[in-house]
Amino acid sequence: MRVLTIQNVSGDTVLHIAADKAQSDIVKHILDLVPADELFKLISIQNENKETTVHQAFNQDKTMETAKLFIDCLPAADYLKLLSMQNCYGETIAHVAACINGPIQQWIFYLVQDQEGNTVIQFATSLGHTDIVKCVIDSVPSADLWKLLSIQNQQDETTLHISVNSNNMETLPCLVESVETTELHTLLLTQDIYGDTAIHSVAYGGHVDMLDKLSLQQK
């Protein structure tokens, strides 16, 4: 529907305006009208401040009802792309969410999982997007970060497993240094569906640097 992509002098689409006014009923109605394969294109349109509709929703709707509508309708891959988009101040939606008091920091990263059960941080780790991984780590309260990193996908892999299996030496230190030693120890004991821990995966790949990094943290 071309009319929904038309932008006014401020660069706002109808969806931007509805999100800015926290008109969740209108947002839901529009999202229901748009074919699934066209949703990301519409939602990711940026206005003159380079804000997407989701930036607008997070900024204006303190109940998060409107923002949740956007996140619910997107697959993890599209949500990951949306998460990397910055406004004119260099803020992603995660940065905006981090400024909000309430439970938003928890569910923004827990909620979206792809068909393989990967959360946003797992998906970002698998693709080597260290900047997004850092953004997630910085945005989630420490008490909730452990719960997020311990989530297992359909292969029972944690984010730590995925980092090792992806041979991602930039992301691994971010993950290791973000949790307490006891929590890291628990992550290292976690097994995937094959019974392998992250250390097993290190051995399979012959990743000496990774083994050194993980071993140093256990001393």
Side-chain angles (χ1 to χ4, degrees):
M1 296 184 179
R2 185 175 178 276
V3 66
L4 295 178
T5 65
I6 294 176
Q7 296 172 267
N8 63 16
V9 293
S10 298
D12 290 326
T13 63
V14 173
L15 203 53
H16 276 94
I17 295 171
D20 183 62
K21 300 300 181 182
Q23 299 286 355
S24 58
D25 289 343
I26 293 178
V27 169
K28 185 179 187 307
H29 187 70
I30 292 174
L31 295 179
D32 288 343
L33 288 174
V34 179
D37 60 350
E38 296 179 18
L39 278 172
F40 176 74
K41 182 179 179 181
L42 177 62
I43 291 172
S44 62
I45 291 175
Q46 293 172 287
N47 62 16
E48 65 177 6
N49 291 322
K50 293 189 175 182
E51 291 190 324
T52 66
T53 54
V54 186
H55 279 91
Q56 297 281 76
F58 281 148
N59 274 320
Q60 301 301 330
D61 186 3
K62 302 308 179 186
T63 69
M64 293 301 109
E65 181 180 356
T66 306
K68 193 172 185 297
L69 290 172
F70 288 112
I71 294 176
D72 280 344
C73 75
L74 291 174
D78 285 344
Y79 182 52
L80 182 63
K81 287 186 284 187
L82 193 68
L83 193 64
S84 67
M85 297 181 72
Q86 298 174 308
N87 62 17
C88 63
Y89 305 106
E91 297 170 333
T92 66
I93 58 175
H95 288 92
V96 175
C99 297
I100 300 172
N101 293 322
I104 178 63
Q105 292 100 328
Q106 297 177 32
W107 65 256
I108 186 177
F109 301 115
Y110 283 76
L111 190 63
V112 180
Q113 290 178 270
D114 62 19
Q115 293 180 342
E116 296 178 351
N118 289 307
T119 61
V120 168
I121 193 169
Q122 287 173 322
F123 198 77
T125 298
S126 70
L127 296 178
H129 293 323
T130 306
D131 53 341
I132 294 179
V133 172
K134 288 180 179 178
C135 183
V136 173
I137 289 173
D138 291 343
S139 300
V140 177
S142 56
D144 297 314
L145 184 58
W146 153 244
K147 291 187 291 184
L148 178 61
L149 295 182
S150 62
I151 290 175
Q152 293 170 275
N153 61 18
Q154 290 183 2
Q155 299 295 311
D156 285 344
E157 296 173 316
T158 65
T159 309
L160 199 61
H161 280 95
I162 294 171
S163 180
V164 172
N165 290 332
S166 302
N167 195 21
N168 194 334
M169 273 304 297
E170 288 188 17
T171 302
L172 184 63
C174 299
L175 299 172
V176 169
E177 294 165 9
S178 68
V179 294
E180 298 293 334
T181 302
T182 53
E183 294 172 341
L184 177 61
H185 182 66
T186 301
L187 283 176
L188 290 174
L189 292 175
T190 303
Q191 297 171 283
D192 63 18
I193 61 172
Y194 304 107
D196 291 326
T197 65
I199 298 295
H200 284 87
S201 297
V202 168
Y204 285 132
H207 305 308
V208 177
D209 290 343
M210 287 187 170
L211 182 61
D212 183 53
K213 184 65 180 176
L214 293 173
S215 297
L216 284 173
Q217 294 296 322
Q218 293 300 295
K219 291 181 180 179

